[in-house]
Amino acid sequence: AMQRAGFLLGVALFTVMLLLPAPDGLSVAGWRTAAVTVLMATWWFTEAVPVTLTGSLPFLALPLLGVAKPEAVAGQYM
């Protein structure tokens, strides 16, 4: 029950953040990165999905959101 709620909460927070404009002083890329971070934190805390999948979200989400190229994200992990 907690895992399902955590999964849905994470997706909901992520979606709401993407729909809202970035706060003053924060770039769109920064706001999108914050949304991915909130999603990851929610999933980690609630153990909604396996940690390996949660940890790989930046590789998937940041390039799809136009924040960074896949090789740039991979470079930060290495």
Side-chain angles (χ1 to χ4, degrees):
M2 171 101 161
Q3 291 172 327
R4 182 178 168 99
F7 180 86
L8 295 174
L9 177 63
V11 171
L13 291 171
F14 175 75
T15 302
V16 167
M17 287 180 74
L18 291 181
L19 293 173
L20 292 173
D24 289 340
L26 186 62
S27 68
V28 172
W31 185 238
R32 290 177 179 174
T33 302
V36 172
T37 303
V38 167
L39 174 61
M40 292 176 68
T42 304
W43 283 3
W44 266 325
F45 182 73
T46 61
E47 299 178 354
V49 296
V51 173
T52 52
L53 177 60
T54 304
S56 66
L57 277 177
F59 290 112
L60 303 169
L62 295 180
L64 289 174
L65 294 171
V67 173
K69 295 184 183 216
E71 48 280 356
V73 176
Q76 293 298 316
Y77 270 73
M78 296 301 158

